[in-house]
Amino acid sequence: MAKKKNANNSEKKTAEAETAQILPIEQILPPSLNLLAIQGRPIFPGIFSPLQISGEDDQKAVEDAMKADGFIGIVLVKDDKQKNSIKNLCSVGTAARIIKKINLPDGGVNVFISTIKRFKIRSALHEKAPMAAMVDYLDDEEDDTFQVKALTRALISEMKEISENNPMFSEEMRLNMVNIDHPGKIADFIASILNIEKNDQQKILETVNVRQRMEQVLVFIKKEQELLRIQKKIQREINERVEKNQRNYFLREELKSIQEELGTDAEGTATDYKKFKEKIEELKFEGEIKESVESELSKFQVMDPNSPEYIGTRNFLELVCALPWKDAAHEDYDLNKAKKILDGDHYGLDDVKKRIVEFLAVRKLKKDNKGSILLLVGPPGVGKTSVGKSIARAMNKPFYRFSVGGMRDEAEIKGHRRTYIGAMPGKIIQGLKIAKSRAPVFLIDEVDKMGQDSRGDPASALLEALDPEQNVSFRDNYLDLPFDISDVFFILTANTLDTIPEPLVDRAEIIQIPGYIDQEKLEIARHYLIPKNLVKNGLKKGQVKYTSAALCRIAEEYARESGVRDYEKALDKINRKLVTELLTAGDGSDAQSVADKKLSIDAPDLDKYLGKPVFDESSIKRASKPGTAIGLAWTSMGGDTLLLEAVSFPSKSGGLTLTGKMGDVMKESAQIAFNWARRHAISNGMKDAKWFDENTVHLHIPEGATPKDGPSAGITMAATFVSLFTGKTLKPNLAMTGELSLTGQVLPIGGLREKSVAAKRNKIKTILIPKQNARDLDEMPARVKAGIKFVPVTDVSEVIKAAF
């Protein structure tokens, strides 16, 4: 019985297979299909096409289809950005049969499909990938035969015209189109090869009425023909333009040859000559300037464009025409507005702002712009260049800045002579050309760092430009014509006055810009540095909140310099790391969620973002042993504290040994302090004269590689020697500054504010100062003096009494 049943089943399958071979393929399409979502464009029925399958879900759909009957549904997605689901698929697709499947080396799959018939999704069997659905197959609706025939002929005729003018249509496409016997399939084939938007193609796919479908396709054919017509027109115009340009080129070359034979100017030279002549006549030069410029213009008119001098003369005339010869040097600015601009751009610096406003007030009242030169002196990073920009804004004038730091060639200031190839005017004439004004604000940066060599002395060249008696007729070597630059407002910046030539200093109004104490740095960070740096790193203003403790710790342990550059670098480093943490915490792409997050930085967080402190308690200098004392010094980098160390050891020669890279003035000061301390020790019975003959005293000032000079450490050296001779230690948190005379008088020093700021950073509580410097305390801001006791002294004996 089992064998008979199996035999019956075999016969039944054979019969079904024979029936399947006889029936048309449209009649054996299954009621449900695995769905394959495609992007780009829909695929029409009646087409044999390859498809590349890359996704795992799509490959699964292909595998399931091949295991069943080989049929699969090809459906266009509505939105390419959304995940594939039946809700994101168009309602009408194309049923296809998988003819062949090829596995690719990269893991993908290529399948060749034969599209059969339209279908409409009736209900979902599996909504998410791999998707499957119950479908209804759509038959073409036939209309009036005569209209359909007429449309068929029109489609084929119009497509022939397009295919003949478009090389993209192959001969195979033309044959396929002619040999298709069904009107609906002709419309599908044409829609598949025309350049139509995917939504329009989907509408054609969804149209089951043959006549309506053919009418839609005919409209798109007409659009394609119009596009081809416009394309041909553009191509024809381009070709005509190219031919015209070629013709003009040959004519110009012929004209040039004729002009060379006749010895006349080329057209370009004639045009430039006319332009220069009109501009020079408009400027109405007089005297020497008129004679020189007209002479150059006459030479330019007859000059051969191929001559080496042609470009040089042309550049000279361009410069002459571009300079602001007749620009009115009118000034009109409001002092109250100027004060607001200075206050808005800079925190603190009250005495500096006051001096600048006074300077501008006198300038406004006199209505005399001659000889206006400011020299801003201060350590790096305190805002000298920024103050210069603010002055230009306050005066409503163009601003031009150039640096002379490291400059060794005076031609950079006064220009090169035109006899040299590649000659250029100097920085001052270049600045006037760029500013387009005779009365701009010029900021000359780093004047204390100019050098000199065989090419000249830039500092000396700068003297003429800054001298009110000479700059009325300033002569640049390149221009070689007198130009009045007396209306230019010059602002110079420097870190120290020591290396600036005295005549240059005498010409300027000197304004000292001091360094900042920690409290000032905290306010500058809050109001200026943090908002600017947050924007620089892509964060919003106020997005990162820094506590006062964190800001104070940055100033004390990471940025103790006089300016705020290191402070700004520290903030920049923190913000960079915060941005990196925010972006790497998620998937690294959600910038909007990063912008919405609020962050806070407290003092303990600094170890994580800035590492170990650069300065800590161990870096604070203390005179904790006999033979040590703390002095105060002023350098180009601002104020500083010096720890002086002295030891003695037996020797046959005796005397004093000095180390620490001291300058000549400091060495002399050390010798004076030693001689005074020696006499003081002998007269007070601390040591006898024989001891000094048998022992050498060694004075050292760390850091040994840093150059040091000046007389202001005189009383500190004397206190160091007395501490060594008596074996006593100086009072804690005490520092001193003052020049010592041989008779024991304490003489005044400079830079007291800078030294006080440095002392404050070093936790100094008491400072011994010369009595003559007590007047400087009145000009010093209260926030600088806060927490420090200043003890004025007139004699070194008072120093010894107060120090021990």
Side-chain angles (χ1 to χ4, degrees):
M1 287 296 291
K3 288 182 180 179
K4 187 175 181 181
K5 188 175 181 180
N6 290 339
N8 289 337
N9 287 340
S10 295
E11 289 173 3
K12 186 177 180 181
K13 286 182 180 178
T14 304
E16 288 176 355
E18 289 174 354
T19 305
Q21 290 175 0
I22 295 169
L23 290 173
I25 195 166
E26 290 88 347
Q27 297 182 18
I28 61 172
L29 289 169
S32 65
L33 290 173
N34 291 311
L35 301 182
L36 186 63
I38 61 169
Q39 297 177 351
R41 294 181 176 188
I43 299 177
F44 288 82
I47 293 171
F48 185 79
S49 173
L51 279 181
Q52 186 170 350
I53 313 298
S54 57
E56 293 182 3
D57 295 330
D58 292 342
Q59 291 181 13
K60 180 74 167 55
V62 170
E63 293 289 343
D64 293 344
M66 292 192 71
K67 287 178 182 177
D69 45 20
F71 292 100
I72 194 164
I74 312 295
V75 193
L76 183 70
V77 297
K78 294 177 184 176
D79 188 351
D80 296 346
K81 296 180 181 178
Q82 293 185 13
K83 293 183 178 180
N84 289 342
S85 67
I86 286 190
K87 292 180 181 178
N88 190 34
L89 298 181
C90 294
S91 60
V92 176
T94 304
R97 189 166 199 172
I98 300 172
I99 307 300
K100 190 173 183 180
K101 173 190 167 193
I102 300 173
N103 294 323
L104 300 177
D106 61 354
V109 173
N110 259 7
V111 294
F112 291 88
I113 60 169
S114 174
T115 55
I116 303 165
K117 196 170 186 177
R118 289 172 170 78
F119 70 85
K120 185 174 184 179
I121 297 174
R122 186 174 63 194
S123 60
L125 294 176
H126 198 282
E127 287 195 358
K128 295 185 179 179
M131 296 172 286
M134 298 297 293
V135 299
D136 292 327
Y137 295 98
L138 306 176
D139 295 318
D140 288 347
E141 296 176 2
E142 303 290 345
D143 261 356
D144 184 1
T145 309
F146 288 100
Q147 284 191 0
V148 171
K149 283 182 179 179
L151 284 169
T152 303
R153 288 183 181 181
L155 287 176
I156 294 173
S157 174
E158 299 292 346
M159 280 302 295
K160 279 183 179 179
E161 181 182 339
I162 293 176
S163 62
E164 287 170 0
N165 296 311
N166 193 336
M168 299 298 292
F169 287 90
S170 63
E171 188 63 31
E172 185 180 353
M173 288 182 178
R174 297 189 190 102
L175 290 173
N176 286 340
M177 184 173 58
V178 173
N179 291 324
I180 297 173
D181 56 353
H182 192 279
K185 290 183 178 179
I186 291 176
D188 288 345
F189 178 78
I190 293 173
S192 68
I193 61 176
L194 280 178
N195 187 17
I196 307 174
E197 293 290 333
K198 74 171 189 176
N199 292 332
D200 294 326
Q201 282 190 327
Q202 180 64 27
K203 286 179 183 177
I204 294 171
L205 181 67
E206 293 174 1
T207 304
V208 295
N209 187 286
V210 174
R211 181 179 59 79
Q212 292 177 3
R213 190 190 310 163
M214 296 177 82
E215 287 174 350
Q216 289 179 14
V217 173
L218 190 59
V219 170
F220 289 114
I221 291 175
K222 290 295 183 182
K223 288 183 179 178
E224 185 71 15
Q225 287 177 339
E226 181 66 18
L227 190 64
L228 283 171
R229 188 184 65 78
I230 296 171
Q231 186 178 348
K232 277 185 179 180
K233 181 184 176 184
I234 294 171
Q235 189 66 42
R236 186 170 60 251
E237 289 174 354
I238 290 172
N239 291 337
E240 288 174 358
R241 201 177 302 158
V242 170
E243 289 172 3
K244 184 180 179 182
N245 289 340
Q246 289 177 340
R247 180 171 170 272
N248 290 343
Y249 171 76
F250 288 120
L251 287 174
R252 278 196 298 269
E253 290 298 314
E254 289 179 11
L255 180 61
K256 193 184 292 184
S257 300
I258 294 169
Q259 287 172 337
E260 287 177 359
E261 290 294 327
L262 295 175
T264 59
D265 290 332
E267 183 184 355
T269 305
T271 305
D272 287 342
Y273 171 77
K274 184 179 178 182
K275 179 182 70 175
F276 291 142
K277 185 174 176 62
E278 290 175 355
K279 181 66 177 176
I280 289 167
E281 287 176 351
E282 182 185 327
L283 290 170
K284 296 178 181 178
F285 291 125
E286 296 178 354
E288 177 192 354
I289 301 176
K290 182 177 180 181
E291 291 177 10
S292 299
V293 173
E294 287 182 349
S295 173
E296 291 293 330
L297 187 61
S298 300
K299 285 195 294 183
F300 180 74
Q301 185 181 12
V302 297
M303 197 173 286
D304 181 7
N306 297 318
S307 167
E309 296 180 2
Y310 174 81
I311 295 297
T313 305
R314 191 178 189 280
N315 290 341
F316 172 78
L317 291 172
E318 281 184 345
L319 176 64
V320 169
C321 294
L323 286 174
W325 297 91
K326 301 297 181 183
D327 175 59
H330 176 66
E331 290 190 0
D332 185 19
Y333 51 86
D334 185 355
L335 286 177
N336 291 324
K337 184 180 177 183
K339 191 173 185 305
K340 285 181 182 177
I341 289 174
L342 291 169
D343 288 337
D345 290 350
H346 301 87
Y347 175 81
L349 304 179
D350 296 331
D351 48 346
V352 176
K353 294 175 189 173
K354 184 178 177 183
R355 288 281 297 278
I356 291 171
V357 171
E358 290 171 355
F359 184 86
L360 296 178
V362 173
R363 183 184 171 101
K364 184 178 177 70
L365 182 64
K366 280 178 63 183
K367 299 187 183 299
D368 179 12
N369 308 327
K370 311 297 181 185
S372 300
I373 303 169
L374 282 183
L375 176 54
L376 306 178
V377 183
V382 295
K384 298 185 295 298
T385 305
S386 171
V387 167
K389 289 181 182 177
S390 297
I391 292 172
R393 283 183 56 219
M395 298 179 72
N396 195 24
K397 288 189 167 206
F399 177 78
Y400 179 74
R401 172 197 169 274
F402 67 92
S403 174
V404 293
M407 189 180 287
R408 295 177 175 274
D409 189 355
E410 69 173 20
E412 294 285 340
I413 304 293
K414 295 194 67 176
H416 305 82
R417 300 197 179 276
R418 284 194 290 130
T419 52
Y420 301 107
I421 295 174
M424 293 175 62
K427 290 290 186 185
I428 293 174
I429 295 298
Q430 286 182 39
L432 290 167
K433 178 184 174 184
I434 293 169
K436 295 181 175 58
S437 170
R438 272 184 62 197
V441 174
F442 271 17
L443 181 78
I444 306 177
D445 234 339
E446 312 291 357
V447 293
D448 57 326
K449 296 177 180 63
M450 284 187 289
Q452 59 178 330
D453 60 10
S454 58
R455 291 169 290 181
D457 181 7
S460 300
L462 204 57
L463 289 176
E464 179 188 352
L466 301 180
D467 190 341
E469 301 299 325
Q470 299 180 51
N471 62 13
V472 177
S473 57
F474 174 74
R475 278 185 182 269
D476 182 269
N477 290 332
Y478 180 87
L479 188 64
D480 200 22
L481 295 172
F483 194 97
D484 184 2
I485 62 169
S486 60
D487 294 323
V488 178
F489 184 6
F490 288 101
I491 301 174
L492 316 180
T493 72
N495 297 133
T496 177
L497 296 174
D498 298 342
T499 56
I500 305 176
E502 282 296 328
L504 198 59
V505 176
D506 291 341
R507 283 166 169 74
E509 174 82 10
I510 299 171
I511 296 181
Q512 295 279 353
I513 300 184
Y516 300 111
I517 61 174
D518 291 349
Q519 189 59 35
E520 289 176 323
K521 289 182 182 179
L522 187 144
E523 295 299 328
I524 291 170
R526 261 202 197 114
H527 294 97
Y528 303 96
L529 302 183
I530 293 174
K532 181 177 80 171
N533 199 266
L534 288 175
V535 174
K536 173 186 172 184
N537 287 287
L539 297 166
K540 292 181 180 178
K541 288 184 179 179
Q543 188 174 353
V544 181
K545 182 183 178 183
Y546 287 83
T547 64
S548 297
L551 295 176
C552 285
R553 190 181 173 203
I554 293 174
E556 291 174 358
E557 299 184 9
Y558 296 92
R560 280 195 188 174
E561 88 283 25
S562 298
V564 290
R565 281 187 187 146
D566 286 348
Y567 202 107
E568 187 171 11
K569 288 176 186 175
L571 293 173
D572 192 39
K573 188 175 181 181
I574 294 171
N575 291 333
R576 282 200 314 269
K577 292 191 175 183
L578 286 174
V579 170
T580 306
E581 284 183 1
L582 288 172
L583 288 176
T584 53
D587 59 1
S589 62
D590 191 0
Q592 184 58 42
S593 63
V594 170
D596 296 336
K597 288 186 179 178
K598 297 287 185 181
L599 303 167
S600 179
I601 298 295
D602 202 358
D605 301 327
L606 298 181
D607 292 322
K608 174 183 175 183
Y609 295 108
L610 296 179
K612 293 183 178 179
V614 180
F615 308 98
D616 53 20
E617 289 297 322
S618 63
S619 62
I620 294 176
K621 297 168 184 174
R622 291 186 174 89
S624 55
K625 297 179 180 179
T628 59
I630 295 176
L632 300 176
W634 189 91
T635 69
S636 62
M637 301 297 287
D640 196 9
T641 51
L642 299 176
L643 177 63
L644 278 64
E645 302 172 337
V647 296
S648 63
F649 53 88
S651 69
K652 294 180 180 179
S653 59
L656 177 66
T657 299
L658 302 174
T659 56
K661 209 168 186 180
M662 302 182 199
D664 292 338
V665 175
M666 185 171 266
K667 287 178 180 178
E668 291 175 358
S669 184
Q671 193 64 54
I672 291 171
F674 178 71
N675 290 341
W676 182 90
R678 174 175 176 169
R679 189 187 67 177
H680 177 77
I682 294 173
S683 60
N684 286 280
M686 301 174 191
K687 303 287 182 183
D688 54 19
K690 184 178 179 183
W691 185 90
F692 287 99
D693 294 334
E694 296 174 350
N695 290 271
T696 295
V697 176
H698 183 175
L699 177 68
H700 176 67
I701 307 179
E703 291 84 11
T706 305
K708 309 166 194 72
D709 205 1
S712 62
I715 63 173
T716 315
M717 293 176 180
T720 305
F721 293 135
V722 172
S723 173
L724 175 68
F725 299 155
T726 60
K728 295 180 180 179
T729 305
L730 272 68
K731 289 180 180 178
N733 301 323
L734 177 137
M736 59 193 81
T737 180
E739 182 180 352
L740 176 65
S741 73
L742 195 57
T743 57
Q745 292 181 332
V746 180
L747 305 179
I749 45 83
L752 181 60
R753 169 169 173 158
E754 292 292 337
K755 293 175 180 179
S756 302
V757 171
K760 208 175 182 73
R761 287 198 296 266
N762 204 62
K763 311 292 185 184
I764 298 297
K765 302 298 182 184
T766 306
I767 301 178
L768 307 184
I769 62 170
K771 191 170 185 178
Q772 295 180 50
N773 284 109
R775 63 180 182 272
D776 296 337
L777 297 175
D778 297 334
E779 300 178 2
M780 197 181 297
R783 58 178 173 269
V784 177
K785 295 185 287 186
I788 298 179
K789 179 183 178 183
F790 293 90
V791 180
V793 292
T794 56
D795 190 86
V796 69
S797 58
E798 296 177 29
V799 173
I800 302 304
K801 184 178 179 182
F804 289 93

